[in-house]
Amino acid sequence: MTGRAEVQRLQQRLDGTFARASGLIGVAGELELLSDHARYLCVLVSGFFEQAVIELVLEHARRNAGKTIQRYVEARTRRLTNLNTQRLLDVVADFDPDWRRDLAAYVVDEKKAALDSIVALRNTISHGRPTSVTLNTVKKYYAQIKDVVGRVADLCVPV
């Protein structure tokens, strides 16, 4: 599975995790459980975003380049981490400066805040520092991030 299909699979898996976490509402001790799941989902959403961008960029290379260029793109993108707004813009600019301009105009306000916040939260969580993120906040970030993934898909792998 590649490109858009892989992104769809990743998104469905993450949607299922959100649904299970939402099912905890009303469970005894739910606040602590929901807090734990919110932190866990921060990590998953950040990972989803990174993997989605990687898959879309690789699909673009598979469709438009020879094998040696594909291997180079794969080697370069497999090292993408902490993919916030600036790093995303840098990645797409390597392919096409027009993509960067398009994405920079699109990833503003709530979308930019969601991307940058989810990465910052993931780093805070992974380094064992306390955070008070809620499930509702992570859901809002995820909705914005899915929109950004859709825009990246339209640039890299137009239908």
Side-chain angles (χ1 to χ4, degrees), residues 46-109:
S46 181
F48 160 75
F49 182 64
E50 289 174 3
Q51 289 306 304
V53 169
I54 288 168
E55 286 299 327
L56 294 167
V57 164
L58 289 176
E59 182 63 19
H60 176 75
R62 282 189 287 269
R63 288 183 180 190
N64 296 291
K67 292 290 183 191
T68 57
I69 302 300
Q70 289 176 37
R71 280 192 293 277
Y72 175 77
V73 170
E74 183 171 355
R76 219 116 175 238
T77 57
R78 292 292 176 205
R79 294 185 297 232
L80 280 178
T81 58
N82 295 314
L83 195 56
N84 61 12
T85 303
Q86 186 57 53
R87 291 202 56 174
L88 172 65
L89 295 176
D90 292 345
V91 168
V92 298
D94 287 344
F95 287 91
D96 189 329
D98 290 335
W99 289 5
R100 186 190 196 292
R101 282 188 286 281
D102 178 278
L103 215 49
Y106 186 74
V107 181
V108 294
D109 301 328

Side-chain angles (χ1 to χ4, degrees), residues 28-46:
E30 73 180 73
L31 292 179
E32 193 69 28
L33 273 172
L34 288 173
S35 178
D36 291 344
H37 276 76
R39 289 189 299 273
Y40 174 62
L41 281 161
C42 278
V43 174
L44 292 182
V45 169
S46 181

Side-chain angles (χ1 to χ4, degrees), residues 1-11 48 51 55:
M1 209 180 296
T2 60
R4 285 183 183 263
E6 178 63 12
V7 170
Q8 182 65 29
R9 187 188 69 75
L10 292 169
Q11 186 174 318
F48 160 75
Q51 289 306 304
E55 286 299 327

